[in-house]
Amino acid sequence: MPWPFELVFAGFAASYASYFLARGVINQLYPAVSAEQRQVAAHAVACLAHNVIVSAMAVSMTPWRALLLDGEPLWHARVEGFDVPAAMSAGFFVFDLILSHLWVPFSWLMIAHHVLSFACWTCSVWVAFAQPWIAYCLATEISSIFLSTRTLVGALGDKKGSAYAQVTGAFGASFILVRTLPIPLLARTWLNSPPFGVVCGTSRVARSMGWMSLLPLLLNTVWSVQLIRKAAREGMTEPRPSESQGKVGARQSGLANGGFDAKRKS
């Protein structure tokens, strides 16, 4: 398949359209909230739309049994319907990178995360490599639904209220369920056939993607440790990649959510 320019652009345009639509509605409904908070809330709505659509599509197409139970990596398997959520999610990453100043200070880690995610998502569509793994990563946006909702509630309401606490708890539980618990099973599957050399075939693009397939496991492990440690200290909240990050809002999208799944922080 050719490089999916049209689908990437569609994802980028849809993300911006949802952002501006949400911004207009929020400006009308919450005039007393600061302009910065309203921008963060609109950004959270755009992220929430991405999280819901992409995870809903990916959950049904991910070969869960093969990856988690049978230990079959399926590096070269084509996933039916994969092209649309993967390429449109890549377009979302471009949108998210442009508006990243709303939710995080300048960070090379965040830039690397989004760039690598964009590259892997689009190249997987292009050369049909690691599609089951990236479908799984897209499915883990389930936890980002609650993190984006948490950002929205925090930007427009009281961070000490019950709604904020409940959605924070839902985020923590969903993160453990879809990101933390599968780590040992996915690690076993990856080790059954590490994607290096002949396993990747003759494609140079696939061989470049091989080493990056470890990033979701590594990042989800680090984020899980941070999540558990912070929950033990202060109560459940989202993991941070560094102590310096933290502005008005918080989200997680595709190394989110981001690599392979992206993260948003508060």
Side-chain angles (χ1 to χ4, degrees):
M1 167 173 190
W3 197 82
F5 173 80
E6 292 84 359
L7 290 174
V8 171
F9 180 77
F12 173 78
S15 297
Y16 254 112
S18 61
Y19 168 74
F20 283 116
L21 178 61
R23 188 171 173 178
V25 172
I26 290 170
N27 285 343
Q28 292 295 319
L29 296 179
Y30 297 90
V33 175
S34 71
E36 185 179 16
Q37 292 285 77
R38 280 181 271 136
Q39 280 187 300
V40 171
H43 184 238
V45 170
C47 295
L48 181 59
H50 167 262
N51 302 149
V52 171
I53 294 172
V54 165
S55 63
M57 296 180 71
V59 164
S60 62
M61 67 179 62
T62 300
W64 298 98
R65 181 179 179 86
L67 293 179
L68 300 182
L69 301 180
D70 297 338
E72 298 178 6
L74 302 176
W75 294 115
H76 296 280
R78 285 187 176 272
V79 175
E80 185 177 356
F82 172 82
D83 297 355
V84 172
M88 292 190 70
S89 185
F92 165 81
F93 279 125
V94 178
F95 155 82
D96 198 40
L97 192 60
I98 293 172
L99 293 188
S100 62
H101 65 279
L102 293 178
W103 54 273
V104 65
F106 179 83
S107 167
W108 285 111
L109 175 62
M110 183 273 297
I111 292 174
H113 167 277
H114 281 48
V115 170
L116 288 175
S117 297
F118 179 90
C120 288
W121 274 218
T122 55
C123 286
S124 184
V125 173
W126 184 24
V127 301
F129 182 77
Q131 289 190 0
W133 290 79
I134 294 177
Y136 162 76
C137 292
L138 294 173
T140 62
E141 286 292 291
I142 290 173
S143 67
S144 300
I145 292 173
F146 300 103
L147 189 50
S148 296
T149 303
R150 180 181 187 272
T151 301
L152 180 61
V153 172
L156 298 179
D158 183 6
K159 290 187 177 182
K160 296 182 179 180
S162 60
Y164 189 80
Q166 290 169 3
V167 77
T168 298
F171 161 68
S174 63
F175 188 98
I176 296 296
L177 179 63
V178 301
R179 295 177 184 268
T180 305
L181 294 180
I183 288 173
L185 299 174
L186 290 171
R188 180 200 62 170
T189 300
W190 190 93
L191 289 170
N192 281 344
S193 181
F196 301 115
V198 295
V199 173
C200 297
T202 59
S203 170
R204 292 184 178 181
V205 174
R207 293 191 177 200
S208 298
M209 292 173 63
W211 67 269
M212 288 187 282
S213 64
L214 266 180
L215 293 178
L217 294 177
L218 295 176
L219 282 171
N220 281 330
T221 299
V222 171
W223 290 331
S224 296
V225 171
Q226 291 178 334
L227 180 71
I228 293 169
R229 288 178 61 186
K230 186 151 191 172
R233 289 198 313 265
E234 304 173 8
M236 190 65 69
T237 186
E238 81 281 11
R240 300 169 185 255
S242 69
E243 291 299 321
S244 65
Q245 292 193 6
K247 261 194 171 183
V248 186
R251 290 186 312 93
Q252 170 181 327
S253 112
L255 180 28
N257 6 147
F260 286 77
D261 185 58
K263 298 279 304 168
R264 278 77 176 165
K265 327 299 181 276
S266 66

